[in-house]
Amino acid sequence: MFHSTPRRRTFAALTTSVALVAALAACSSPAAVSGGGEAAAAPGITDDTVTIGTHTPLTGPAAAGYSSISAATKAYFDYVNDQGGINGRTIEYLVKDDGYNPATTQTVVRELVQEDEVFAILNGLGTPTHTAVLDFLNQNEVPDLFVASGSTSWNQPEKYPWTFGFNADYVVEGAALAQYAEDQAPDATVCLLGQDDDFGDEFIEGAELVLGEGGLAHIERYSVSNQDVTAQIGAMQAAGCEINLLATINGFTALAVGTAAKLGWFPQWYSSSSGGDYPTLVGYLGEDLGPKLLQGFTSSNYLPFSPSGEWVALFQQINDEYNDGAPFTGNTVYGMSVGYLFAEALARAGEHPTRQGIVDAITSGDLVGNGIVPLAFSADIHAAYLGVGITTVDQGVQDFVGATYVLDGDTVEAVEPEDVPVENAGVPTGD
Amino acid sequence: MSETSVSETSVPEGASVPEASANQPLPAAVHPAAARAAAARPAVARRASTGRLLATALLLTALAIGGTFLLDPYRNYQLALVAATFCATGGLTLLIGLSGQLSLGHAALMAAGGYGYALAANAVTEAGVDGVPRFLIGMAGAIAASGALGLLLGLAGARLRGPYLAGVTLAVVIALPAVTAVFPSVFRGDQGVQIAYSGVPEFLKLVIVVEQWQAWVAILVTAVVVTWLAALRRGRLGLRMRAVHGDETAARLAGVPTRRVKVQAFAVSAVAAGTGGALLCFIAQSVSPGAYTLAYSLLLVVAVVVGGLGSLGGALAGAVVVVLLPWVIGTLTAALALPSDLEQRLSGNLPVLVFGALLIVVMAAWPGGLAGAVARVSTPARGFSRRVLAALGRSSTGGAPQPVASVSPVASVSPVASDPLAPVPAPPHPQSVPTESER
């Protein structure tokens, strides 16, 4: 009995696995994967649709700050689709949750590229998460557009020709805020609180471009997994800091401001765009205390955020109509601006978009976007914005103060902001 | 005699004479069919069965490697993930099912393997080492790191029991993010450590794509680890682990060094988990604390319980469930065209819910896990299946959704030979004979 069963089982297992394998059959050989030559349409493109995808945290600790971005992008695409789409194609936007976990990012991005056969990855969120798929996307020549992170990693055209950033990078933001601090109060003691990863490192690098090596009087770092910055804030107070630069995400900006207030300390705060969104911060600090604590709060931004601007009016209207009237925050503007930039690139890629075609459209330097400084994209630069404007909060309204800085090599220059008018009701056309 | 009663009463006796020769009759805790077969076999069976173990391992590995040619890249990637997870569940099933030590911290051991691999590989990358040597050095780093942590936990485990050991291992997995944050220059905090990309070797570039290559590497490493686990399982350590699990005092009275056995079990299981973590790091090119949460740790335990405690085939089934279930659920919810905000809320949360439901259903229906269920299906129309059914029925009425640890007595003697999924179907233990009721 014993001797007969394993053989029969092995046979059964064999036949089962062969049947399973045959059912899934699709060869992995390089020739089969790369498809049969140029004649085939680009992946994700049909006569009337373009399918793209993203990875973003919808669950987990990072979801609270970021899950509204993809919803805003989707709302903008829904709006564009209702206006007839781009070159007659509607945009299908697949959003996959990666829980801000690089291992999951690998899985969902492969799923998007290999299972769902998306045309491009748009606005993949997070430095550690997106780093995990950089090689994969570039090896498979998938356009990796407008990554949602200010790391300088995305701007390596030689190594990663298919990857493009979206955020003004952290070096630019650090430099611009340090320059603004120096312009406002040349003799102030400037300190910095930064996240203990590339975000903090690159922000410090930027600030020291302006203030010089050792120009920051005191530097403190924090880790996202530890929700207590009392020690860091205490040390900064003891060091006599007057202006605190913040390389923090929104939750920790609020934590820093709140902790300092508890210690009876009210220095000036200069935050990066990633952690300086006023509506989000008020959400953390509360409706009654938030506006008081954030009076005079300074932050950088490169997207249209003036409450009086026509972009904000358009996005607010789209948000009400297509996003169930979700809270209108910096994330909403961010998500819709990403959608707009993609739509513009797609429109410029022509009637028959290909993967190479959309990359060519971006590197041509013809894209305008909707930022307050011109887009920097070219064959040699894969960063979107090399400059930022300065906003402050006054009486509960966050708006630009007019100071705008661009990082040119290692020097910071003050420039005039450029407003991009809304054309064709915010639906880009090919010309 | 039912399996339940076998595991409760006769394990220590069987183990109390570890030096017993293969043909010496002992009332050991075994599968009835296996017992009968073993009795019929001569003393050389052990050597022959080692040969068979290796042959089976080679055959199944070759089959798995061959199978990768028929899969598309994404499925090959999933296969690689399953293989890596199988390392961890294989080690865990041995630890819980055989030695009876519950670890809730196996994700931390996988992380130790991942960091060990990444740090070692990065160190030699700077020295200009590349390709296979780098991979092997990385693996050595993974084994050293996870083995060391496993040894420490094992030493604690030898002095602690049940909930207290579970508490210690739980603390390790919860402390992981803090450890990486305290030494940011080494572990790079929450961002984790990235490693250089290892692509397909030149001479294979025209034949396979990178996902298939990753699947090959994962399958080969996993084959080695699982064969090792299977050999240990049916060897002396496995027997001693069963003895310690059955009745620690009796085992000690019989001369089994219970502490050492427990430490060994933990270290072995840790190295297996660490190898799995190293493979995941190799595939994902990064390791970060966010990948090894408490939830993932608990998921591993659920996986081996659902698969069938103590059974390597069950561990494979558990690994498949861990990797594929979230994907299957995601595909289903996408097909249902739910409102987007509901879909957002479900994504990520629904798999956890389904895992919980699956655990309850499987435990209620087949307390022996999926491996036990397969045993039921694959041996119909035999007296044996009736007896298994009876045994399972009895134990399931006894307490179907039992706490994890207390399920193990049933499953620890889960029928090895009736496990078609087992990559290394371990032959029955030589020290075994039919008991009276199993004529």
Side-chain angles (χ1 to χ4, degrees):
Chain A
M1 164 196 165
F2 178 80
H3 288 285
S4 67
T5 33
R7 222 172 291 145
R8 191 141 46 81
R9 287 201 192 105
T10 312
F11 179 72
L14 262 175
T15 38
T16 318
S17 48
V18 166
L20 265 178
V21 153
L24 303 171
C27 195
S28 258
S29 79
V33 170
S34 60
E38 296 299 310
I45 300 272
T46 67
D47 283 346
D48 45 18
T49 59
V50 179
T51 308
I52 55 175
T54 193
H55 65 87
T56 193
L58 301 178
T59 56
Y66 298 123
S67 60
S68 53
I69 291 179
S70 55
T73 312
K74 200 165 173 47
Y76 173 78
F77 286 148
D78 288 345
Y79 166 76
V80 168
N81 292 345
D82 276 0
Q83 313 285 314
I86 303 293
N87 287 335
R89 289 188 185 83
T90 55
I91 302 171
E92 312 266 327
Y93 190 47
L94 305 177
V95 179
K96 301 250 177 188
D97 178 24
D98 64 8
Y100 213 67
N101 173 357
T104 315
T105 309
Q106 278 259 348
T107 303
V108 297
V109 167
R110 276 167 204 271
E111 206 174 319
L112 286 169
V113 170
Q114 292 169 343
E115 291 274 280
D116 304 322
E117 301 194 336
V118 294
F119 174 65
I121 297 291
L122 176 66
N123 203 227
L125 195 145
T127 308
T129 44
H130 199 75
T131 305
V133 291
L134 255 189
D135 285 303
F136 169 76
L137 291 174
N138 279 275
Q139 262 149 18
N140 288 276
E141 306 190 343
V142 181
D144 176 19
L145 307 181
F146 317 139
V147 182
S149 146
S151 167
T152 47
S153 307
W154 327 127
N155 185 13
Q156 302 182 66
E158 301 263 307
K159 202 169 164 199
Y160 298 119
W162 297 86
T163 298
F164 296 86
F166 183 75
N167 296 26
D169 66 52
Y170 301 132
V171 178
V172 171
E173 293 204 320
L177 285 170
Q179 187 65 50
Y180 184 67
E182 202 159 77
D183 292 352
Q184 293 295 304
D187 302 322
T189 310
V190 181
C191 303
L192 185 143
L193 174 66
Q195 201 158 297
D196 63 350
D197 54 19
D198 288 354
F199 183 9
D201 290 341
E202 292 181 5
F203 201 84
I204 291 172
E205 189 188 326
E208 288 188 340
L209 278 180
V210 172
L211 303 172
E213 198 85 24
L216 289 163
H218 194 82
I219 297 176
E220 284 288 331
R221 310 296 292 265
Y222 72 90
S223 161
V224 179
S225 49
N226 183 4
Q227 301 269 338
D228 184 1
V229 293
T230 314
Q232 288 92 328
I233 297 298
M236 292 169 85
Q237 187 183 12
C241 303
E242 290 164 320
I243 294 177
N244 291 331
L245 305 183
L246 293 173
T248 51
I249 53 176
N250 283 314
F252 280 84
T253 307
L255 202 57
V257 173
T259 306
K262 268 190 207 159
L263 298 173
W265 184 41
F266 300 93
Q268 293 192 56
W269 303 100
Y270 284 32
S271 163
S272 87
S273 63
S274 309
D277 182 43
Y278 179 72
T280 307
L281 294 175
V282 170
Y284 279 110
L285 291 166
E287 290 294 341
D288 44 344
L289 271 181
K292 290 177 198 153
L293 292 178
L294 293 169
Q295 175 64 28
F297 181 85
T298 302
S299 168
S300 54
N301 202 345
Y302 44 92
L303 295 174
F305 199 66
S306 292
S308 55
E310 48 179 355
W311 281 106
V312 169
L314 171 72
F315 288 161
Q316 218 144 19
Q317 180 201 329
I318 296 175
N319 190 54
D320 290 342
E321 210 167 321
Y322 293 89
N323 204 12
D324 300 333
F328 191 84
T329 66
N331 281 348
T332 317
V333 174
Y334 182 97
M336 292 194 184
S337 299
V338 164
Y340 176 78
L341 187 57
F342 174 76
E344 192 189 352
L346 185 66
R348 291 206 185 258
E351 291 289 323
H352 303 286
T354 60
R355 285 176 163 178
Q356 186 63 52
I358 197 163
V359 165
D360 291 344
I362 298 167
T363 51
S364 70
D366 292 339
L367 293 193
V368 181
N370 66 350
I372 60 157
V373 293
L375 283 166
F377 290 131
S378 73
D380 304 326
I381 301 175
H382 282 196
Y385 297 105
L386 293 181
V388 289
I390 304 294
T391 67
T392 59
V393 175
D394 187 27
Q395 307 297 325
V397 177
Q398 190 173 29
D399 201 355
F400 288 102
V401 295
T404 308
Y405 301 96
V406 168
L407 185 66
D408 184 9
D410 281 353
T411 53
V412 178
E413 289 167 16
V415 297
E416 282 297 307
E418 287 179 30
D419 281 341
V420 181
V422 176
E423 280 173 15
N424 193 26
V427 180
T429 52
D431 24 72
Chain B
M1 182 190 285
S2 78
E3 292 202 4
T4 320
S5 60
V6 165
S7 68
E8 279 162 1
T9 59
S10 54
V11 176
E13 295 166 41
S16 65
V17 197
E19 303 306 321
S21 70
N23 50 4
Q24 186 175 346
L26 281 172
V30 284
H31 191 290
R36 208 168 306 147
R41 272 163 14 158
V44 291
R46 182 186 285 199
R47 204 173 310 142
S49 68
T50 305
R52 179 129 49 95
L53 173 71
L54 290 176
T56 320
L58 281 175
L59 175 72
L60 288 168
T61 310
L63 261 178
I65 298 255
T68 61
F69 280 101
L70 299 169
L71 298 179
D72 64 34
Y74 183 65
R75 299 225 154 65
N76 268 325
Y77 170 74
Q78 287 181 322
L79 182 64
L81 292 185
V82 168
T85 314
F86 184 24
C87 283
T89 54
L92 187 60
T93 204
L94 221 64
L95 183 73
I96 304 181
L98 257 55
S99 86
Q101 303 183 88
L102 177 61
S103 166
L104 301 179
H106 255 52
L109 292 164
M110 291 181 81
Y115 277 105
Y117 178 86
L119 295 176
N122 280 349
V124 297
T125 303
E126 276 174 30
V129 182
D130 206 356
V132 177
R134 178 171 71 186
F135 180 76
L136 293 179
I137 293 169
M139 274 295 163
I143 290 170
S146 58
L149 181 58
L151 205 60
L152 279 175
L153 285 173
L155 286 170
R159 286 166 176 77
L160 299 169
R161 279 168 184 281
Y164 305 105
L165 174 62
V168 169
T169 52
L170 187 71
V172 172
V173 80
I174 291 175
L176 179 69
V179 173
T180 58
V182 169
F183 304 104
S185 56
V186 183
F187 300 117
R188 318 249 307 121
D190 293 337
Q191 193 167 315
V193 181
Q194 269 84 39
I195 59 164
Y197 171 77
S198 297
V200 188
E202 275 308 318
F203 66 97
L204 283 172
K205 268 212 172 119
L206 289 174
V207 191
I208 59 173
V209 294
V210 63
E211 289 80 11
Q212 198 175 351
W213 169 243
Q214 290 174 336
W216 283 19
V217 172
I219 288 169
L220 285 174
V221 171
T222 305
V224 172
V225 169
V226 173
T227 309
W228 177 55
L229 291 177
L232 286 178
R233 181 183 191 280
R234 58 189 208 97
R236 189 191 290 175
L237 179 63
L239 188 64
R240 288 177 164 186
M241 279 158 68
R242 287 186 180 90
V244 171
H245 186 195
D247 187 331
E248 202 172 325
T249 313
R252 205 178 301 136
L253 282 173
V256 175
T258 53
R259 274 192 183 175
R260 204 199 305 161
V261 169
K262 284 168 121 182
V263 175
Q264 281 173 340
F266 218 109
V268 165
S269 165
V271 166
T275 320
L279 284 176
L280 285 182
C281 177
F282 167 76
I283 297 165
Q285 288 168 56
S286 74
V287 51
S288 59
Y292 299 103
T293 55
L294 176 61
Y296 186 66
S297 222
L298 296 177
L299 214 58
L300 290 176
V301 177
V302 171
V304 298
V305 172
V306 166
L309 274 173
S311 150
L312 286 172
L316 176 58
V320 170
V321 169
V322 166
V323 174
L324 293 191
L325 195 65
W327 169 71
V328 169
I329 291 170
T331 312
L332 285 181
T333 48
L336 286 178
L338 299 166
S340 64
D341 59 331
L342 180 64
E343 202 179 313
Q344 274 202 11
R345 222 167 299 153
L346 287 181
S347 132
N349 293 326
L350 197 57
V352 178
L353 196 72
V354 174
F355 265 113
L358 191 69
L359 179 67
I360 293 170
V361 168
V362 170
M363 283 303 102
W366 314 292
L370 295 177
V374 170
R376 267 170 69 168
V377 176
S378 64
T379 51
R382 285 178 193 278
F384 159 67
S385 76
R386 244 184 312 118
R387 280 200 298 276
V388 171
L389 281 173
L392 292 174
R394 215 172 304 149
S395 57
S396 69
T397 51
Q402 296 160 336
V404 170
S406 60
V407 182
S408 47
V410 180
S412 64
V413 288
S414 74
V416 184
S418 60
D419 198 350
L421 283 171
V424 188
H429 216 281
Q431 290 101 325
S432 56
V433 294
T435 50
E436 239 225 310
S437 61
E438 286 159 353
R439 273 178 310 247

